Amino acid sequence: MIEEVEAENLDDTPDVDFLHQDAAPGHVHRRPSPDTDNNLALHKTRRVTVEEVEDEGGMLFPDNGRYFEPQPDAGWALHKGETNFERYRTYQEEEGEDPWSPFENAEISLTREEWDLAHWLVKNLGQTQTDEFLKLPITQNHTKLSFHNNRSFLQRMDKLPRGPEWSCKKVTVRGNCEDENGEMLQEEVELWSRNPVECVKELIGNTSFKEHMAYSPAKVYADHAGQDRVIDEMWTADWWGEKQKALPEGATIAPIILSSDKMSLSQFRGDKSAWPVYMSIGNIAKAKRRQASARATVLIGYLPASKLDCFTPDARSLAGYRLFHHCMALLLQPLIGAGSDGVEMVCVDSWVRPYVADFPEQCLVSCCKENRCLKCLVAANERGDALNSAMRDPERKIGQHPPEFEANGLHAVYKPFWADLPHADIFLAFTPDLLHQLHKGVFKDHLVKWCLDIIGEDEMDARFKAIPNYPGLQHFKKGISSVKQWTGREHKEMHGAVPRFARSILDFSYYAQLQIQTTESLEALQTALTVFHANKDILKELAVREHFNIPKLHQLTHYVQSITLFGAADGFNTELPERLHIDFAKDSYRASNKRDYKEQMALWLQRQEAVFLCSAYLDWLSQQPRSKSAAGLTECHSNPYDLDADSDTDSESETPNLPAAEPLQVTHVLAKAPAHPHQSVQTIITAHGATEFLSALRSFLLKNLPHNTIVPGLQDRFDLYRQVVIVTPPDLRVSDVPQRRRIRATPETLPSGRKPGIPARFDMALIADRPRSSHLHTLEGVRVAQVRAIFTLPHQFGAYSRALAYVEWFTPFKPPDPSSRMRQVSRSTRQLRRNAAVIHVDEIVQPCHLIPKMGQTVDLRLRSGNAYEVANDFYFNEFIDGEMFCACVISN
């Protein structure tokens, strides 16, 4: 049954009308599940994962060296409540069900196996393939399944508890074109949505996020005096604390993070498209939010992606704006009451909202024209200047007439969806977009283009071709001018090789990507932008640019403010929504029959979510004290299909097996067996270019094995390794996980038959005067060297367990180049021969990258494979990764 409800019409817009009606999708009824009870509430205090000890100055000093200034009137607990999983466990015990219900079998072991099979089927096979599998004679004759075909299988799947239900509203759009009968054309579109309040309950009550959840704001400092502010998570920034002051004492804020992006579903042909809207909450740690597999960001709706052919071309764009805002208002309607009055639930009772989108989508959301700033009132022809313009005010009444909209750079959308949302300043809510504004925008679309215009495509391509190889860095064999489509990774990897005349833009890009911002780093971020504006006129003098009224360039002026308000920019990047398109749009569309696909997509996603929730429930149940419902579970139930462990490999070209536990200290890992055992000294000299091997080894033995009487010679043989993998603790400024970096010492492999040859790889590395126990903090006490061979001593020299490396030294760091401010090094020689040494492998800190000094034009002999041999003078590439950039900045 469809209930027709007239939607609120837009004010003073007789040319466009919207009606909507609720269309029940006809899904099966849910069994009682954690999400159906709205009366349970538990407001927890902010979780801190380290022990806190109150300091004399009134702050908190956890064992990670940070000082906290908490806000005590926030995040109070009201009373004890049950989590989603606790309620479902109680239900199963009362009903006498097994944990794997509705997959039931007389034997518990078979029930568990049946659930594992069901999980595999729904994750990997479509409905046709599932039906074919279940009807195979071997399946029917040798298994005792409670379902025998796809229909009965789906009936059981639909009995699983799942998240908030999907519903459909049909919106009628009346255009301004007439049909052959003189009547106005109209179009009916569908809005598929889920209740966002219920989705927040699902997120904030999810036990998987227990150790990654915050419920109250606090200011964090790196020093006891409270001078060096630290901003990373949303609860450490200013906005949460300021909003908390406007709420009742003890209230808990759940910051709503919305993201949307229209996308194409069809490949090669067709015009099918989808417009997903995603939601997360700022209480969850940004590292967890960035994990697509964690499902900390959920899909709350599909907006209609209609072409609106019922409008004339000149009215179609504005009608699209108004339709978007009308549908978003319907989608987010439940948040209005929740934000105004509060909602009791487990862990939360108030709502506020940032927005993540790329630039066109941000303009659509804010109603701004694309030639104007989303956040401030800067004039269209002044966006290229370093101005402090007045910020836009969502409360300001700008009138109801198009001229007033025009003056403010707005489209005539009289009631945007965010008008009634409490605690929402849509113009402030737009967060930095590292992918589209920095990597694809300012860097690729502008900075790279400026470089190409200055030196020409041929010269630029020649420079990229001459960039030496580095593990994990993409090499542009044909240069960059011929690349038509770029990925986000390629944009980032180009940062390490672009000419340095625009060093300030690169500095800004790397500072903006830091996962932990401080008072000092934010000052450096702003300084980098100031330096660019002070020097940008050189591009006008070179006739590269006539003006700098570039929207994405102007957005950089708001980065410091946004980070200060909402936390580090990596927590709001648009890369995650684009990744989620695969799970929540493309995969679901492929599972449909391509007709009436939105309903099929919603049902498919509902089943996928049910399987995910059930798997998480079983994992949670296995960790609880043994109860009736958990009696059949093993001590540690886990899903065998979700494991992400390293597997054995026979090829040393891949990273060898590493310790399973995350290391707290630097670890050097070699393959279990050498790739090239019993190699002669002559092979080491010729194939590895280790011309001073014997003399360097003699010096090493004299220093480290003074009682050794054997002199190494051409008769000795050594076990050689292709590479060493260095595992370092995470540098939390740029990463949350340990880093695994390879340093290769592999000679050239000649072509053989159909197999192409492989050039030699002798990587550069930073060598310390002693082994280190942590990641690279500064460049003090390290020196560049090229690793030519990795080996172990043969037994005739005695028992010596530490692996060795033959390296060729470079000079200590020279003063930075005046124009690029990059450090310089050169080959080190001794008596006109390369200065070489044998060192312990554990003295290698990490790989590094050098760029040959190419001058005005590139030496035609330079190639990626021979750059380290042909050139003698190099720039030290501090942009090779974020950790190296941080080390260089601190050293400065």
Side-chain angles (χ1 to χ4, degrees):
M1 178 177 180
I2 298 177
E3 180 184 359
E4 297 186 3
V5 181
E6 184 174 354
E8 181 179 356
N9 291 332
L10 302 180
D11 297 337
D12 301 326
T13 54
D15 59 329
V16 54
D17 213 4
F18 299 107
L19 298 175
H20 82 264
Q21 57 188 14
D22 295 323
H27 296 167
V28 297
H29 294 291
R30 287 191 300 170
R31 62 200 296 133
S33 74
D35 307 295
T36 59
D37 187 352
N38 297 336
N39 298 320
L40 296 174
L42 175 60
H43 298 268
K44 298 183 179 180
T45 55
R46 176 174 56 84
R47 174 171 296 277
V48 181
T49 57
V50 294
E51 182 181 358
E52 299 179 342
V53 180
E54 189 167 358
D55 183 70
E56 294 179 357
M59 295 183 181
L60 296 179
F61 179 60
D63 59 7
N64 63 356
R66 289 187 179 187
Y67 295 82
F68 289 82
E69 184 181 354
Q71 195 157 331
D73 59 348
W76 291 2
L78 296 181
H79 53 80
K80 180 66 177 178
E82 286 186 305
T83 64
N84 301 347
F85 290 164
E86 288 171 339
R87 287 199 297 271
Y88 189 58
R89 178 178 61 181
T90 301
Y91 167 80
Q92 286 191 320
E93 291 177 348
E94 291 175 350
E95 297 295 323
E97 293 183 349
D98 291 326
W100 301 275
S101 179
F103 296 93
E104 301 171 352
N105 198 293
E107 300 182 31
I108 290 180
S109 60
L110 294 180
T111 302
R112 181 170 58 247
E113 293 173 359
E114 184 172 293
W115 159 249
D116 289 340
L117 175 61
H119 181 276
W120 182 84
L121 289 174
V122 78
K123 295 292 289 184
N124 296 280
L125 298 184
Q127 296 189 37
T128 301
Q129 294 92 334
T130 298
D131 202 51
E132 291 175 353
F133 173 81
L134 294 176
K135 290 181 178 180
L136 288 174
I138 191 172
T139 305
Q140 293 183 343
N141 297 334
H142 296 276
T143 61
K144 300 177 181 179
L145 300 176
S146 60
F147 48 89
H148 57 278
N149 57 27
N150 183 67
R151 182 172 179 271
S152 60
F153 170 66
L154 293 181
Q155 287 176 342
R156 293 186 177 275
M157 292 299 304
D158 289 335
K159 292 180 181 179
L160 290 173
R162 53 180 179 268
E165 294 282 359
W166 284 90
S167 64
C168 176
K169 289 182 173 69
K170 293 189 176 181
V171 179
T172 301
V173 183
R174 294 192 176 96
N176 63 352
C177 296
E178 296 181 351
D179 61 14
E180 61 274 9
N181 298 323
E183 296 181 357
M184 289 296 178
L185 292 174
Q186 63 181 31
E187 185 175 341
E188 188 176 77
V189 296
E190 292 182 348
L191 168 64
W192 284 86
S193 64
R194 301 199 291 175
N195 188 323
V197 175
E198 295 299 320
C199 290
V200 173
K201 291 180 182 180
E202 183 87 12
L203 288 171
I204 208 160
N206 191 327
T207 57
S208 301
F209 306 141
K210 183 177 181 181
E211 303 300 326
H212 307 276
M213 192 78 72
Y215 302 106
S216 64
K219 288 187 177 180
V220 184
Y221 301 93
D223 63 320
H224 184 275
Q227 298 297 316
D228 190 9
R229 179 87 178 272
V230 175
I231 298 176
D232 49 8
E233 299 292 347
M234 198 170 181
W235 56 268
T236 67
D238 289 345
W239 175 87
W240 194 330
E242 291 301 317
K243 285 296 177 183
Q244 194 75 54
K245 298 175 183 177
L247 297 177
E249 189 177 37
T252 302
I253 289 178
I256 304 300
I257 303 173
L258 296 174
S259 56
S260 59
D261 188 20
K262 187 177 180 180
M263 58 167 297
S264 174
L265 295 173
S266 305
Q267 290 183 332
F268 306 115
R269 63 178 182 177
D271 59 352
K272 301 293 192 301
S273 59
W275 203 329
V277 180
Y278 305 108
M279 185 186 74
S280 186
I281 54 176
N283 310 79
I284 302 173
K286 55 189 175 73
K288 183 61 66 173
R289 292 202 309 267
R290 287 198 303 266
Q291 297 176 10
S293 60
R295 294 183 178 253
T297 299
V298 298
L299 178 70
I300 64 171
Y302 288 117
L303 300 178
S306 173
K307 294 182 178 180
L308 297 180
D309 292 328
C310 58
F311 288 90
T312 57
D314 60 328
R316 195 168 296 154
S317 176
L318 180 58
Y321 269 73
R322 292 172 174 172
L323 176 61
F324 169 84
H325 282 272
H326 180 76
C327 292
M328 283 292 290
L330 294 174
L331 176 63
L332 302 180
Q333 178 68 30
L335 291 179
I336 297 177
S340 300
D341 305 326
V343 175
E344 282 199 10
M345 62 177 68
V346 176
C347 304
V348 73
D349 68 1
S350 188
W351 312 77
V352 281
R353 37 197 64 75
Y355 207 103
V356 179
D358 57 20
F359 185 70
E361 194 92 1
Q362 289 177 340
C363 294
L364 176 64
V365 171
S366 65
C367 308
C368 285
K369 296 182 178 180
E370 293 194 20
N371 67 341
R372 298 295 295 271
C373 177
L374 305 161
K375 303 173 79 71
C376 72
L377 294 172
V378 64
N381 61 351
E382 296 179 343
R383 290 170 299 167
D385 300 326
L387 302 176
N388 293 320
S389 302
M391 302 301 292
R392 292 185 182 273
D393 183 3
E395 300 296 332
R396 180 170 177 262
K397 305 299 182 182
I398 62 173
Q400 294 291 321
H401 302 289
E404 296 182 63
F405 283 95
E406 185 70 27
N408 288 273
L410 299 173
H411 289 281
V413 178
Y414 297 96
K415 191 172 183 181
F417 74 86
W418 38 265
D420 295 329
L421 291 176
H423 314 298
D425 183 340
I426 194 65
F427 303 117
L428 278 182
F430 292 115
T431 52
D433 181 359
L434 298 177
L435 176 62
H436 294 95
Q437 289 173 354
L438 276 180
H439 300 316
K440 291 184 177 180
V442 174
F443 182 80
K444 185 259 180 181
D445 293 341
H446 298 292
L447 182 58
V448 173
K449 184 178 182 300
W450 298 339
C451 295
L452 288 170
D453 291 341
I454 291 174
I455 68 174
E457 292 185 356
D458 292 340
E459 182 66 23
M460 179 66 79
D461 288 342
R463 291 173 183 268
F464 269 92
K465 292 176 184 178
I467 296 297
N469 188 275
Y470 180 85
L473 180 68
Q474 178 171 343
H475 174 58
F476 298 91
K477 297 180 180 179
K478 299 181 180 179
I480 63 171
S481 62
S482 61
V483 179
K484 301 302 181 184
Q485 186 171 358
W486 296 87
T487 65
R489 177 183 176 186
E490 288 169 336
H491 291 126
K492 296 176 184 178
E493 291 176 347
M494 277 203 303
H495 288 197
V498 167
R500 304 304 173 185
F501 82 97
R503 166 67 187 254
S504 55
I505 289 294
L506 293 174
D507 284 342
F508 185 95
S509 176
Y510 277 76
Y511 278 119
Q513 295 177 68
L514 294 181
Q515 296 183 14
I516 298 178
Q517 297 284 0
T518 64
T519 302
E520 184 179 359
S521 67
L522 290 176
E523 290 175 354
L525 179 67
Q526 188 61 48
T527 299
L529 188 59
T530 301
V531 170
F532 169 77
H533 282 295
N535 295 275
K536 68 187 178 193
D537 286 343
I538 185 64
L539 295 173
K540 291 183 178 180
E541 297 174 10
L542 295 172
V544 173
R545 289 291 303 182
E546 295 181 358
H547 64 82
F548 293 93
N549 293 321
I550 303 170
K552 293 178 180 178
L553 181 61
H554 172 76
Q555 290 301 312
L556 305 189
T557 62
H558 299 298
Y559 269 44
V560 171
Q561 180 195 42
S562 293
I563 292 171
T564 304
L565 285 174
F566 299 117
D570 67 296
F572 306 99
N573 204 355
T574 54
E575 289 187 68
L576 175 61
E578 295 200 2
R579 167 61 181 84
L580 294 176
H581 286 343
I582 299 175
D583 298 330
F584 293 135
K586 294 183 178 180
D587 286 349
S588 57
Y589 176 72
R590 295 189 188 105
S592 72
N593 62 9
K594 315 302 185 292
R595 295 186 299 272
D596 297 326
Y597 57 90
K598 291 286 181 63
E599 181 176 357
Q600 298 176 56
M601 290 168 66
L603 183 58
W604 186 86
L605 289 170
Q606 190 170 263
R607 289 167 175 158
Q608 295 290 321
E609 185 178 55
V611 171
F612 176 82
L613 288 174
C614 194
S615 296
Y617 170 71
L618 293 174
D619 289 339
W620 170 82
L621 194 62
S622 67
Q623 300 170 15
Q624 305 306 306
R626 293 182 64 84
S627 62
K628 179 180 179 181
S629 60
L633 287 170
T634 58
E635 183 177 355
C636 184
H637 177 87
S638 61
N639 180 5
Y641 309 107
D642 288 340
L643 294 179
D644 186 19
D646 290 324
S647 57
D648 290 332
T649 175
D650 295 330
S651 174
E652 275 196 331
S653 62
E654 302 295 332
T655 302
N657 291 335
L658 300 176
E662 294 187 354
L664 297 177
Q665 294 186 341
V666 174
T667 306
H668 294 71
V669 183
L670 294 175
K672 295 179 179 178
H676 305 291
H678 310 301
Q679 296 297 303
S680 66
V681 172
Q682 190 60 45
T683 299
I684 297 175
I685 294 174
T686 56
H688 290 257
T691 55
E692 308 299 318
F693 180 77
L694 285 177
S695 60
L697 182 59
R698 292 180 188 127
S699 298
F700 174 85
L701 294 175
L702 184 63
K703 176 182 178 181
N704 293 275
L705 294 174
H707 301 295
N708 172 66
T709 59
I710 300 177
V711 178
L714 293 175
Q715 72 281 358
D716 293 311
R717 292 183 174 271
F718 298 83
D719 292 340
L720 300 183
Y721 296 82
R722 291 182 181 272
Q723 63 183 10
V724 57
V725 176
I726 302 178
V727 187
T728 59
D731 184 343
L732 297 179
R733 297 169 295 184
V734 296
S735 176
D736 304 306
V737 297
Q739 297 298 302
R740 302 178 178 184
R741 298 182 175 92
R742 292 185 297 152
I743 297 179
R744 303 162 298 181
T746 59
E748 179 184 11
T749 301
L750 299 176
S752 176
R754 298 178 61 185
K755 294 183 179 179
I758 302 174
R761 303 290 188 216
F762 300 116
D763 290 330
M764 297 292 172
L766 291 175
I767 312 299
D769 50 7
R770 60 185 181 279
R772 293 186 173 218
S773 61
S774 64
H775 58 76
L776 183 69
H777 288 286
T778 72
L779 294 184
E780 296 179 2
V782 296
R783 186 173 172 181
V784 177
Q786 186 176 24
V787 180
R788 288 282 186 176
I790 302 171
F791 62 99
T792 54
L793 281 178
H795 295 299
Q796 63 264 29
F797 295 100
Y800 200 79
S801 59
R802 296 170 70 182
L804 307 177
Y806 172 87
V807 301
E808 294 177 346
W809 293 110
F810 282 66
T811 60
F813 291 115
K814 301 177 183 178
D817 175 72
S819 60
S820 66
R821 305 202 312 274
M822 297 182 69
R823 292 172 175 80
Q824 305 175 79
V825 294
S826 302
R827 284 274 182 188
S828 176
T829 58
R830 179 180 297 172
Q831 297 179 350
L832 301 181
R833 301 176 69 87
R834 289 189 174 182
N835 185 8
V838 170
I839 63 170
H840 296 104
V841 164
D842 54 24
E843 294 173 13
I844 302 176
V845 180
Q846 69 177 60
C848 65
H849 189 235
L850 304 182
I851 300 175
K853 296 184 70 172
M854 302 179 191
Q856 295 295 323
T857 58
V858 178
D859 188 336
L860 296 179
R861 298 175 301 163
L862 276 181
R863 292 289 184 273
S864 176
N866 67 2
Y868 285 147
E869 306 304 321
V870 173
N872 186 68
D873 301 315
F874 300 84
Y875 293 113
F876 182 79
N877 187 2
E878 59 196 66
F879 297 101
I880 194 62
D881 58 39
E883 185 173 327
M884 188 68 73
F885 175 78
C886 290
C888 293
V889 167
I890 292 178
S891 298
N892 288 338

